[in-house]
C-alpha cells in the first residue's frame, strides 16, 4: 500500500477534470479489452518517449492499484535514478503487458489523468480521441499481400541492385585536402540525425538560436524530452504517427535548414530499402531530386518520368500500377524546384487538365508531383517530400499525413560525426576535443554542415607533418575566421565583390545585434542591397514566417554568434572607421550583455592570426581600425581592474579578459594585467571557456596573490582549464564548486609543482570523499607553501581523515590551520588523528565541529590538547558531548595558557 502522504501528492499531480471524455472507458468496455492491446502495441514507441517524464507517477498509480509489487516499482525507480528514463519506460510497458487487461486499463486511465502536464502524452490521446474508439481496427489493419509476377521480381532485383550501387557511396568535397572530391562508403560515413515528428514554429527556432554553449545543449534536450517526439526515418509511414486518416495512401514531409542532412537522409533511406533493411511492404521505391526535375522542360507522363531515370523498367510499369500500395515516391528538395506547386490553388479543381489521374497522362512535372501527393494519381501509393522551411507553406494545404523536422545532432552524435569524418581516430579525437573545449563552437555542431566545415578547417592542423601544435586556432575568433574562410573559398567565386557584400552583411548584422533582432525580412536585404544567393545562404538560412496571414520568407543567421562575428567583421571592412572607440565603449556599457560576444570578436579580429585567412579574400584590414581597437581594449582593461564589488563589475572585468584572450596580444596583456594582485569572481557562474580565459590572464600576471572563485560552479571541467596557472596564486578560494574527487587530484598536481606558492586553499562544499584524500595527503608531504586548508562540509568520513593523518604526521607538512567542520567524522578516527597531531610541529588551529564525536572521544582529545604545544585553537562545537565532558574539555584552557577551546 502506498503511504497516504505519497498518495495525496500523487493526486495533486494528476488532472481529475470531470469534463474530460474518457476514451479509455470506451476501449476497455469494448469486447474483451483487445483494443487496448492493439492501442498499446500501435503507440508503443511513442509511449516510451511520452511517459519518460512521469514514469514514476504512472508506476505509483499501478502500485497503488496493486498491479505492481513494491519490488517492481523499485526497479522502475532505480532505472530513473540512474538516468535511464527510456529503459524505465520500456520496463513499465513490458510489465503492464504481462499483467493483463486490468493493468492495461489502469495504465491508460493514468495517462488520461496526467495528460495535461505531459505534452507528448496529451498529443497521443488527442489523436486517439479524434480517431474515435472504433478506429483501432482501421489503424492496425495490414494491407493485403500482393503476389508479384515473375517479370516484376526480376525488375525489382535489378532495381534494388541499381539503387544500392547509386547510394552505397558518399561523395564529399574536401576543399583543403589534395583531392577535390573524396568518396566514402555511406555506412562508414553516415551519422544518425535526430528527427522530430512535428515541425517547430519560428519562435521555438529563435529560442534555440539565442542559446549558447551548454545552455544550448540543455535547451535542446529539455524540449526534446518534454515536448518533441523523436521519429526514425523508417517510421515516417507508420500509422501511429499519421495525422490524417487516408485510405488512399500516405504522404510525409521532412523539413530542415540548409546543411542539416536532408539529402543524405534520403540517400540512406533508399540504400536501406535496397538492401532490405527497411520498408519491406514497399515493392518499389523511386527517388527524384527536384534539381534534376528542373531539366525537364516539356510535358511528360509518370511512365516516361520513371523511364527517364530508370530505363530498365521497359514495359512492366503497367503491372506496377496494379498495386499502388507497394510504391513509394521520394522527391528531395522542394525548395530547389523551379516550377511552383501550390496545393491551395483552386484552378486544379476546375481545370481537369491540371490534375494528373493516370500514369499515362501527359502533363507538367509539377502536376505529376501534385497528383501523387494528393492521392489523385495512383491512390494508395506513399510519397516523401523534403524541403527547407522556405517552401513548406506550399505544402500547407497538401494531403500530408506525417510532418517531421530534422534537428540534427544531439549529445554524443556530434562526436560520432567526427569519428566518421576522420579515418585516423587520433585526429578525430583531437579535433573533437578542440571543438568541445570551445563552447560556442560546440553549439554550432548540431548542424552536420558546420561539423564538415570545422573538420576541414581544423583537420590539417592535426594531420600535416611538421605543423606545430601551438598553431592550432586558439580562440573563438580564429575558429570563426576559418569557418568564414571556408565559405569564401567554396562559394566566393559566385560573387563579384566579396568585400562589399560582406560589408553590407556586416552592417545588417550589427543593426540586428544593436536592436536584439535575429530575424530579417526581404525589406532588410533590400535596404542593405543584398540579394539571396547560394553564397549568402552560407551566412543566412531561410525560415517560414507563419505569424502573418500572407506567407512569407524570413532570414536568420544559422546561429546568433555567426551574426555577431559578421557584425564584428563589418567594422574592419568599413573604409572610414570614424570614432570606433566610442562605438565600442557604448556597446561595452550596455548591461544586458547583447554586445558581449560581438566585442570579443572585434578584439579578436585585431589579431593577425585571426585576420589573415579573411584578408586573403577581403583585402588587408585597415591598420587604423586595428590600432584603435587595441587602444580601446587597453583602456577598458585598465579601467575595469579593481572594479569587482558588484556582479556587473565582475562580469565586465571578465569580458575585458575575454577581449585580451581573443586579441592574443601578449605585450598588451602584460601591460594591463601584469601587476594585478587580486582577482575576485565569487558568486558568478563561470563556463569552462571563462576558466580558460582566466588561466590565460593569470599566466601573464607576475604578482597575483589571491584568486577567489568560490560559488562559481566551475566543476572539474573548469578546473582543468585553470590547472596550469593555479600554483602561482598565494590564496586560492574554490569553495562550493562541485569539484569532486577528480578536481582535488588536479589540485594535488598544482600543490606538487616545485614553484607552488599556494598558502591558503579553500575547498568547502565540493562533494569530496575519502577517495581523493590519498592524492591530497601525498601532495601535502612535499608541498612547502600551504599553511591553511579548508575542507569543511565534504563527505570525507573517518577513512578520509585517517589518510589525511598520514600527511599531518609527516615532518614536511606545513599546515597551520585545518578545517574539518562537518565532514562526517566519528569516534573511530580520533585515535589516528590524535596520534598524528601529537607529533605535528606546525598545526595551530583546528576545526572539528559539527561531526559525530561523542564522550568516547574526550579522553583522546584531552590528551591532544595537553601535549600538542603548537595548538592554539580547537573548535569542537555541535558534537554529541555531554555537559560534563564539554566542561572538562573547556577546562583545559586553564591548563595551557594561550590555548582556546570552543565546545
Amino acid at each position: 500500500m502506498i503511504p497516504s502522504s505519497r498518495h495525496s501528492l500523487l493526486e495533486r499531480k494528476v488532472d481529475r477534470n470531470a469534463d474530460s471524455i474518457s476514451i479509455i472507458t470506451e476501449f476497455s468496455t469494448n469486447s474483451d479489452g483487445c483494443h487496448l492491446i492493439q492501442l498499446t502495441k500501435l503507440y508503443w514507441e511513442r509511449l516510451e518517449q511520452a511517459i519518460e517524464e512521469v514514469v514514476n507517477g504512472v508506476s505509483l498509480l499501478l502500485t497503488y492499484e496493486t498491479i505492481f509489487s513494491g519490488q517492481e516499482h523499485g526497479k522502475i525507480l532505480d532505472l530513473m535514478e540512474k538516468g535511464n528514463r527510456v529503459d524505465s519506460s520500456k520496463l513499465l510497458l513490458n510489465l503492464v503487458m504481462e499483467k493483463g487487461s486490468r493493468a492495461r486499463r489502469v495504465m491508460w486511465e493514468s495517462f488520461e489523468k496526467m495528460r495535461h502536464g505531459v505534452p507528448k502524452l496529451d498529443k497521443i490521446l488527442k489523436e486517439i480521441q479524434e480517431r474515435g474508439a472504433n478506429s483501432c481496427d482501421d489503424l492496425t489493419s495490414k494491407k493485403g499481400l500482393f503476389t508479384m509476377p515473375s517479370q516484376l521480381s526480376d525488375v525489382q532485383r535489378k532495381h534494388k541492385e541499381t539503387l544500392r550501387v547509386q547510394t552505397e557511396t558518399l561523395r564529399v568535397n574536401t576543399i583543403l585536402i589534395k583531392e577535390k572530391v573524396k568518396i566514402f562508403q555511406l555506412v562508414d560515413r553516415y551519422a544518425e540525425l535526430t528527427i522530430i515528428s512535428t515541425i517547430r514554429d519560428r519562435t521555438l527556432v529563435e529560442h534555440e538560436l539565442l542559446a549558447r554553449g551548454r545552455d544550448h545543449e540543455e535547451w535542446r534536450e529539455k524540449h526534446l524530452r518534454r515536448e518533441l517526439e523523436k521519429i526514425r526515418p523508417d517510421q515516417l509511414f507508420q500509422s501511429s504517427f499519421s495525422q490524417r486518416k487516408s485510405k488512399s495512401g500516405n504522404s510525409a514531409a521532412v523539413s530542415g535548414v540548409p546543411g542539416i542532412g536532408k539529402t543524405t537522409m534520403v540517400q540512406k533511406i533508399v540504400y536501406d530499402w535496397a538492401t532490405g533493411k527497411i520498408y519491406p511492404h514497399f515493392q518499389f521505391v523511386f527517388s527524384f531530386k527536384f534539381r534534376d526535375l528542373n531539366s525537364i522542360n516539356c510535358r511528360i507522363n509518370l511512365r516516361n518520368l520513371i523511364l527517364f531515370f530508370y530505363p530498365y523498367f521497359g514495359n512492366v510499369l503497367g503491372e506496377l500500377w496494379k498495386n499502388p500500395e507497394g510504391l513509394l515516391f521520394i522527391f528531395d528538395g522542394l525548395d530547389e524546384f523551379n516550377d511552383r506547386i501550390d496545393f491551395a490553388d483552386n484552378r486544379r479543381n476546375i481545370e481537369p487538365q491540371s490534375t494528373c489521374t493516370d500514369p499515362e497522362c501527359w502533363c507538367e512535372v509539377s502536376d505529376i508531383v501534385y497528383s501523387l501527393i494528393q492521392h489523385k494519381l495512383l491512390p494508395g501509393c506513399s510519397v516523401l517530400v523534403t524541403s527547407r522551411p522556405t517552401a513548406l507553406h506550399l505544402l500547407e494545404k497538401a494531403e500530408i499525413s506525417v510532418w517531421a523536422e530534422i534537428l540534427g545532432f544531439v549529445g554524443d552524435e556530434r562526436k560520432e560525426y567526427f569519428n566518421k569524418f576522420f579515418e585516423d581516430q587520433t585526429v578525430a579525437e583531437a579535433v573533437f576535443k578542440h571543438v568541445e573545449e570551445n563552447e560556442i563552437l560546440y553549439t554550432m555542431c548540431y548542424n552536420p554542415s558546420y561539423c564538415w566545415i570545422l573538420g576541414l578547417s581544423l583537420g590539417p592542423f592535426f594531420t600535416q607533418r611538421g605543423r606545430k601544435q601551438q598553431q592550432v586556432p586558439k580562440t573563438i575568433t580564429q575558429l570563426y575566421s576559418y569557418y568564414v574562410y571556408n565559405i569564401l573559398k567554396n562559394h566566393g567565386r559566385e560573387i563579384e565583390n566579396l568585400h562589399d557584400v560582406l560589408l553590407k552583411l556586416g552592417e545588417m548584422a550589427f543593426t540586428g545585434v544593436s536592436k536584439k533582432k535575429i530575424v530579417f525580412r526581404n525589406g532588410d536585404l533590400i535596404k542593405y542591397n543584398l540579394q539571396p544567393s547560394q553564397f549568402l545562404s552560407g551566412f543566412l538560412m531561410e525560415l517560414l514566417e507563419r505569424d502573418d496571414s500572407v506567407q512569407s520568407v524570413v532570414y536568420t543567421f544559422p546561429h546568433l554568434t555567426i551574426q555577431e562575428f559578421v557584425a564584428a567583421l563589418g567594422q574592419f571592412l568599413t573604409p572610414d572607421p570614424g570614432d570606433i572607440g566610442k562605438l565600442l565603449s557604448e556597446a561595452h556599457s550596455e548591461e544586458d550583455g547583447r554586445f558581449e560576444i560581438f566585442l570579443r570578436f572585434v578584439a579578436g579580429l585585431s589579431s593577425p592570426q585571426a585576420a589573415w585567412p579573411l584578408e586573403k579574400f577581403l583585402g588587408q584590414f585597415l591598420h587604423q581600425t586595428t590600432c584603435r581597437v587595441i587602444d580601446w581594449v587597453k583602456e577598458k582593461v585598465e579601467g575595469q581592474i579593481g572594479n569587482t564589488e558588484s556582479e556587473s563589475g565582475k562580469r565586465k572585468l571578465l569580458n575585458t579578459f575575454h577581449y585580451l584572450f581573443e586579441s592574443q596580444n601578449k605585450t598588451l596583456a602584460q601591460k594591463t594585467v601584469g601587476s594585478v594582485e587580486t582577482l575576485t569572481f565569487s558568486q558568478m557562474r563561470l563556463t569552462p571557456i571563462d576558466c580558460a580565459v582566466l588561466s590565460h590572464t593569470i599566466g601573464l600576471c607576475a604578482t597575483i596573490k589571491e584568486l577567489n572563485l568560490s560559488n562559481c560552479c566551475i566543476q572539474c571541467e573548469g578546473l582543468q582549464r585553470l590547472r596550469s596557472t593555479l600554483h602561482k596564486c598565494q590564496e586560492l578560494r574554490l569553495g562550493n564548486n562541485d569539484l569532486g574527487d577528480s578536481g582535488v587530484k588536479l589540485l594535488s598536481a598544482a600543490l606538487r609543482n616545485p614553484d607552488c606558492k599556494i598558502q591558503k586553499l579553500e575547498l568547502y562544499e565540493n562533494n569530496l570523499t575519502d577517495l581523493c584524500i590519498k592524492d591530497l595527503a601525498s601532495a601535502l608531504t612535499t608541498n612547502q607553501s600551504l599553511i591553511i586548508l579548508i575542507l569543511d562540509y565534504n563527505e570525507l568520513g573517518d577513512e578520509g581523515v585517517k589518510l589525511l593523518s598520514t600527511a599531518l604526521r609527516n615532518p614536511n607538512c606545513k599546515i597551520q590551520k585545518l578545517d574539518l567542520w562537518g565532514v562526517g567524522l566519528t569516534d573511530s578516527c580520533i585515535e589516528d588523528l590524535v596520534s598524528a597531531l601529537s607529533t605535528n610541529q606546525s598545526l595551530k588551529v583546528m576545526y572539528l565541529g559539527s561531526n559525530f564525536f561523542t564522550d568516547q572521544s574526550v579522553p583522546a582529545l584531552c590528551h591532544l590538547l595537553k601535549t600538542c604545544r603548537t595548538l592554539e585553537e580547537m573548535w569542537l562545537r555541535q558534537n554529541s558531548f555531554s555537559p560534563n565532558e564539554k566542561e572538562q574539555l573547556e577546562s583545559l584552557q586553564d591548563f595551557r595558557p594561550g590555548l582556546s577551546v570552543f565546545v
Side-chain angles (χ1 to χ4, degrees):
M1 194 74 160
I2 298 174
S4 58
S5 61
R6 294 179 76 181
H7 185 221
S8 61
L9 176 66
L10 182 62
E11 286 181 329
R12 288 199 299 271
K13 285 184 176 180
V14 299
D15 184 307
R16 297 186 178 277
N17 185 350
D19 297 328
S20 175
I21 300 171
S22 180
I23 56 170
I24 303 308
T25 303
E26 291 185 55
F27 275 109
S28 57
T29 54
N30 187 303
S31 178
D32 58 354
C34 66
H35 280 77
L36 286 184
I37 298 177
Q38 294 175 331
L39 205 62
T40 307
K41 287 180 178 178
L42 180 66
Y43 285 93
W44 188 284
E45 290 185 327
R46 292 181 67 186
L47 286 171
E48 282 180 7
Q49 294 184 53
I51 65 173
E52 278 183 37
E53 292 296 288
V54 289
V55 68
N56 180 26
V58 177
S59 182
L60 266 176
L61 269 172
L62 289 163
T63 309
Y64 178 71
E65 296 288 345
T66 66
I67 289 167
F68 281 0
S69 67
Q71 186 178 11
E72 288 168 331
H73 177 59
K75 286 181 180 178
I76 290 169
L77 281 185
D78 186 51
L79 286 171
M80 279 192 66
E81 286 166 4
K82 289 177 180 176
N84 300 330
R85 292 178 178 273
V86 176
D87 291 340
S88 67
S89 299
K90 285 180 179 177
L91 177 59
L92 185 142
L93 290 171
N94 280 313
L95 286 172
V96 166
M97 291 301 276
E98 291 170 4
K99 300 284 183 180
S101 59
R102 180 171 171 261
R104 288 188 288 275
R105 179 177 57 78
V106 171
M107 178 182 73
W108 279 94
E109 285 174 352
S110 74
F111 293 166
E112 278 208 330
K113 292 172 184 176
M114 295 180 174
R115 64 186 291 181
H116 296 297
V118 189
K120 291 182 185 179
L121 199 54
D122 190 50
K123 181 181 176 184
I124 291 172
L125 290 171
K126 279 179 180 174
E127 289 175 16
I128 295 170
Q129 199 166 349
E130 286 170 8
R131 286 169 169 160
N134 297 319
S135 64
C136 200
D137 293 333
D138 182 52
L139 283 170
T140 54
S141 63
K142 301 290 183 184
K143 294 181 174 68
L145 292 175
F146 177 76
T147 305
M148 196 184 305
S150 58
Q151 68 267 35
L152 278 188
S153 297
D154 294 339
V155 174
Q156 187 193 60
R157 280 192 292 273
K158 168 78 173 173
H159 186 51
K160 285 191 172 186
E161 178 60 19
T162 302
L163 293 182
R164 184 190 66 77
V165 172
Q166 287 177 354
T167 57
E168 66 183 351
T169 57
L170 195 61
R171 295 170 63 85
V172 179
N173 258 331
T174 57
I175 296 179
L176 297 178
I177 308 172
K178 288 181 180 179
E179 310 109 301
K180 289 185 178 180
V181 174
K182 200 164 185 178
I183 297 175
F184 298 90
Q185 292 297 118
L186 177 66
V187 291
D188 295 336
R189 192 77 171 186
Y190 186 77
E192 292 294 339
L193 299 166
T194 296
I195 308 174
I196 54 170
S197 65
T198 185
I199 290 175
R200 300 175 297 165
D201 62 29
R202 201 198 77 204
T203 308
L204 204 58
V205 178
E206 283 182 43
H207 285 313
E208 177 175 11
L209 295 175
L210 289 168
R212 289 196 184 99
R214 303 294 172 195
D215 290 336
H216 176 269
E217 187 72 355
E218 288 170 12
W219 186 94
R220 290 193 122 218
E221 289 183 350
K222 174 189 170 186
H223 283 276
L224 197 60
R225 190 171 62 242
R226 178 170 169 74
E227 298 170 28
L228 307 176
E229 286 188 279
K230 283 187 176 183
I231 180 172
R232 298 192 310 269
D234 62 303
Q235 295 173 315
L236 289 170
F237 298 97
Q238 187 172 307
S239 54
S240 71
F241 282 100
S242 178
Q243 294 177 14
R244 287 176 181 262
K245 286 196 295 181
S246 175
K247 295 182 179 179
S248 57
N250 292 307
S251 296
V254 177
S255 169
V257 297
I260 203 73
K262 300 182 293 295
T263 297
T264 309
M265 178 202 74
V266 165
Q267 183 176 339
K268 186 68 161 53
I269 287 174
V270 173
Y271 176 79
D272 284 348
W273 176 80
T275 53
K277 293 176 183 174
I278 63 171
Y279 296 148
H281 57 289
F282 290 133
Q283 293 169 350
F284 292 93
V285 172
F286 298 105
S287 181
F288 307 94
K289 288 184 172 68
F290 275 106
R291 70 177 67 167
D292 295 334
L293 298 179
N294 286 334
S295 63
I296 302 174
N297 49 19
C298 59
R299 294 171 74 81
I300 196 170
N301 58 27
L302 180 59
R303 169 189 289 277
N304 287 338
L305 183 66
I306 291 174
L307 291 176
F308 183 79
F309 291 98
Y310 306 101
Y312 45 83
F313 272 86
N315 296 318
V316 302
L317 286 172
E319 291 295 325
L320 267 64
W321 314 146
K322 294 177 182 178
N323 181 40
E325 289 83 2
L327 303 179
L328 169 62
F329 294 92
I330 301 175
F331 296 97
D332 181 32
L334 176 61
D335 50 281
E336 297 180 346
F337 193 35
N338 291 339
D339 200 357
R340 181 180 175 84
I341 310 176
D342 191 346
F343 291 86
D345 188 355
N346 291 321
R347 174 180 59 87
R348 297 180 186 276
N349 299 323
I350 57 175
E351 295 181 22
Q353 67 271 20
S354 66
T355 300
C356 178
T357 57
D358 190 315
E360 311 291 334
C361 174
W362 292 81
C363 56
E364 302 294 333
V365 172
S366 60
D367 294 326
I368 294 174
V369 177
Y370 168 89
S371 300
L372 284 170
I373 292 173
Q374 295 297 84
H375 316 301
K376 297 179 185 297
L377 174 60
L378 296 178
C381 75
S382 296
V383 183
L384 170 62
V385 182
T386 73
S387 173
R388 291 184 183 186
T390 344
L392 277 183
H393 65 285
L394 297 173
L395 296 170
E396 193 172 25
K397 301 291 185 181
E399 294 285 327
I400 300 296
S401 309
V402 175
W403 295 90
E405 180 186 353
I406 302 180
L407 278 187
F409 295 142
V410 175
D412 289 339
E413 290 166 347
R414 297 168 170 90
K415 186 174 184 179
E416 181 190 347
Y417 179 92
F418 284 104
N419 287 341
K420 292 189 173 184
F421 185 94
F422 295 102
E423 295 175 11
D424 186 337
Q425 291 304 291
T426 307
V427 175
E429 188 177 339
V431 170
F432 179 72
K433 184 173 184 293
H434 197 78
V435 170
E436 191 177 28
E437 288 178 353
N438 291 273
E439 289 207 3
I440 297 172
L441 202 71
Y442 182 68
T443 304
M444 294 168 57
C445 288
Y446 75 90
N447 190 316
S449 65
Y450 307 153
C451 293
W452 171 73
I453 289 172
L454 289 169
L456 292 173
S457 303
L458 294 171
F461 290 98
F462 295 92
T463 55
Q464 291 180 12
R465 293 181 180 179
R467 195 185 281 273
K468 295 179 181 177
Q469 186 72 16
Q470 63 263 29
Q471 289 180 294
V472 177
K474 293 179 181 178
T475 69
I476 299 294
T477 311
Q478 290 174 17
L479 287 161
Y480 272 56
S481 289
Y482 278 101
Y483 173 83
V484 173
Y485 165 82
N486 276 300
I487 296 175
L488 298 177
K489 187 168 184 176
N490 201 26
H491 295 295
R493 66 181 71 89
E494 301 165 12
I495 303 295
E496 285 184 18
N497 195 327
L498 283 174
H499 182 283
D500 286 356
V501 172
L502 264 295
L503 172 59
K504 292 166 188 171
L505 191 62
E507 290 171 350
M508 187 178 84
F510 178 75
T511 302
V513 173
S514 304
K515 296 180 178 179
K516 286 189 169 181
K517 175 178 177 178
I518 66 169
V519 174
F520 303 92
R521 302 176 182 276
N522 279 321
D524 295 304
L525 268 63
I526 294 167
K527 179 181 176 182
Y528 291 97
N529 198 21
L530 291 165
Q531 295 292 327
S533 64
Q534 185 70 23
F535 169 73
L536 211 59
S537 70
F539 298 94
L540 292 173
M541 64 182 188
E542 307 108 333
L543 297 176
L544 181 65
E545 173 63 81
R546 292 177 178 271
D547 299 336
D548 298 338
S549 56
V550 179
Q551 299 287 355
S552 60
V553 176
V554 296
Y555 300 89
T556 183
F557 287 85
H559 191 257
L560 178 57
T561 49
I562 295 178
Q563 179 177 337
E564 291 162 321
F565 181 83
V566 173
L569 178 58
Q571 304 302 315
F572 288 84
L573 301 178
T574 305
D576 178 13
D579 194 354
I580 190 173
K582 183 182 177 184
L583 180 147
L584 299 178
S585 292
E586 288 174 355
H588 181 73
S589 65
E590 286 287 348
E591 295 288 341
D592 59 12
R594 74 179 73 177
F595 287 109
E596 276 185 15
I597 305 300
F598 162 77
L599 289 171
R600 293 180 194 178
F601 283 140
V602 170
L605 285 168
S606 71
S607 158
Q609 298 100 307
W612 77 262
L614 301 173
E615 289 177 331
K616 285 184 174 182
F617 294 96
L618 304 174
Q620 193 165 3
F621 293 169
L622 202 63
H623 182 66
Q624 185 183 3
T625 304
T626 301
C627 290
R628 288 185 184 180
V629 169
I630 292 171
D631 289 342
W632 177 82
V633 172
K634 180 175 182 291
E635 175 193 330
K636 286 303 158 199
V637 177
E638 290 175 341
Q640 205 64 46
I641 285 176
N643 182 21
T644 54
E645 293 179 7
S646 65
E647 183 178 345
S648 172
K650 291 173 187 174
R651 173 58 61 190
K652 285 184 177 177
L653 178 61
L654 182 61
N655 277 328
T656 62
F657 288 167
H658 273 279
Y659 307 156
L660 279 179
F661 178 71
E662 292 297 323
S663 73
Q664 290 292 295
N665 191 325
K666 189 174 181 180
T667 304
L668 174 64
Q670 286 174 336
K671 281 181 182 177
T672 52
V673 299
S675 58
V676 169
E677 293 187 354
T678 302
L679 291 174
T680 301
F681 294 99
S682 58
Q683 307 295 328
M684 262 188 71
R685 182 169 183 171
L686 301 179
T687 67
I689 195 73
D690 290 332
C691 292
V693 168
L694 269 179
S695 182
H696 174 262
T697 305
I698 295 166
L700 297 166
C701 293
T703 55
I704 186 73
K705 289 182 179 177
E706 180 184 349
L707 177 64
N708 184 353
L709 301 183
S710 56
N711 300 286
C712 288
C713 304
I714 64 173
Q715 302 182 309
C716 184
E717 192 177 359
L719 196 67
Q720 276 186 314
R721 310 299 196 276
L722 286 158
R723 62 180 175 178
S724 63
T725 54
L726 292 174
H727 67 279
K728 296 182 66 176
C729 308
Q730 293 179 21
E731 186 172 336
L732 200 50
R733 302 174 66 180
L734 298 170
N736 195 17
N737 273 301
D738 194 21
L739 299 179
D741 295 330
S742 52
V744 171
K745 290 181 180 180
L746 292 173
L747 283 168
S748 299
L751 291 170
R752 288 193 198 94
N753 190 309
D755 298 322
C756 180
K757 294 181 174 62
I758 303 172
Q759 295 177 12
K760 180 179 180 180
L761 178 59
E762 288 187 4
L763 292 173
Y764 63 83
E765 292 185 74
N766 266 302
N767 290 324
L768 309 184
T769 72
D770 59 294
L771 298 176
C772 70
I773 299 300
K774 187 175 181 180
D775 282 279
L776 182 60
S778 172
L780 294 179
T781 60
T782 59
N783 180 277
Q784 296 297 300
S785 62
L786 190 67
I787 56 175
I788 300 174
L789 180 59
I790 313 295
L791 291 168
D792 51 329
Y793 295 111
N794 287 294
E795 295 297 322
L796 304 184
D798 295 332
E799 288 304 312
V801 169
K802 286 177 182 179
L803 290 168
L804 196 60
S805 298
T806 61
L808 296 172
R809 196 177 285 115
N810 192 299
N812 292 324
C813 182
K814 306 297 181 186
I815 297 293
Q816 295 179 15
K817 179 180 177 180
L818 180 62
D819 189 342
L820 296 174
W821 193 283
V823 295
L825 306 184
T826 71
D827 296 328
S828 66
C829 75
I830 198 68
E831 293 295 340
D832 287 273
L833 193 58
V834 169
S835 171
L837 294 178
S838 297
T839 59
N840 184 282
Q841 299 299 307
S842 60
L843 194 70
K844 294 180 181 180
V845 181
M846 188 157 197
Y847 289 84
L848 290 173
S850 197
N851 282 296
F852 302 103
F853 294 127
T854 67
D855 291 351
Q856 186 180 332
S857 294
V858 172
L861 287 168
C862 287
H863 174 73
L864 172 65
L865 293 169
K866 288 177 182 178
T867 58
C868 186
R869 295 298 171 183
T870 59
L871 202 59
E872 297 173 0
E873 284 184 30
M874 174 70 83
W875 292 75
L876 292 165
R877 288 176 177 167
Q878 297 177 31
N879 278 294
S880 300
F881 298 130
S882 64
N884 289 337
E885 299 302 322
K886 283 184 181 180
E887 188 176 338
Q888 182 182 349
L889 287 165
E890 286 175 339
S891 69
L892 293 171
Q893 296 174 111
D894 301 327
F895 180 79
R896 269 192 53 211
L899 175 66
S900 298
V901 181
F902 304 94
V903 186

